[in-house]
Amino acid sequence: MTQETIKVEGMSCMHCQMRVKKAVEAVEGVQKADVNLQTKQVTVDFEEGKENLEKVKDAVREAGYEPI
Ligand SMILES: [Cu+2]
């Protein structure tokens, strides 16, 4: 398992937090996503060999938030 962390702008409440979590966890190769509303950090656990941060960022954008 490989862990990566990105920052996401635009989340303001628990609803946003859940939306981002669900969007990221729907990406192929993602085992788990932890979204921290305070630090704006999204910690993503990938299956070995299936790391794809670009797809994660696309999913975040599609959900209506801004990955940085
Ligand atoms: Cu919200």
Side-chain angles (χ1 to χ4, degrees):
M1 188 199 73
T2 309
Q3 198 169 64
E4 301 265 12
T5 303
I6 60 169
K7 275 207 160 195
V8 173
E9 291 287 358
M11 297 186 294
S12 55
C13 68
M14 273 181 65
H15 175 79
C16 302
Q17 189 178 5
M18 280 310 297
R19 265 189 78 143
V20 170
K21 180 179 169 70
K22 280 186 180 162
V24 173
E25 287 184 343
V27 174
E28 207 210 322
V30 174
Q31 280 185 328
K32 187 169 167 260
D34 281 312
V35 181
N36 187 314
L37 202 53
Q38 243 115 49
T39 62
K40 301 174 181 173
Q41 281 187 337
V42 180
T43 305
V44 188
D45 293 350
F46 289 98
E47 288 169 44
E48 208 58 56
K50 291 193 175 179
E51 302 82 4
N52 193 337
L53 265 190
E54 280 317 302
K55 269 193 180 172
V56 166
K57 288 180 180 177
D58 285 346
V60 168
R61 274 184 215 108
E62 273 168 35
Y65 303 93
E66 196 53 46
I68 41 174

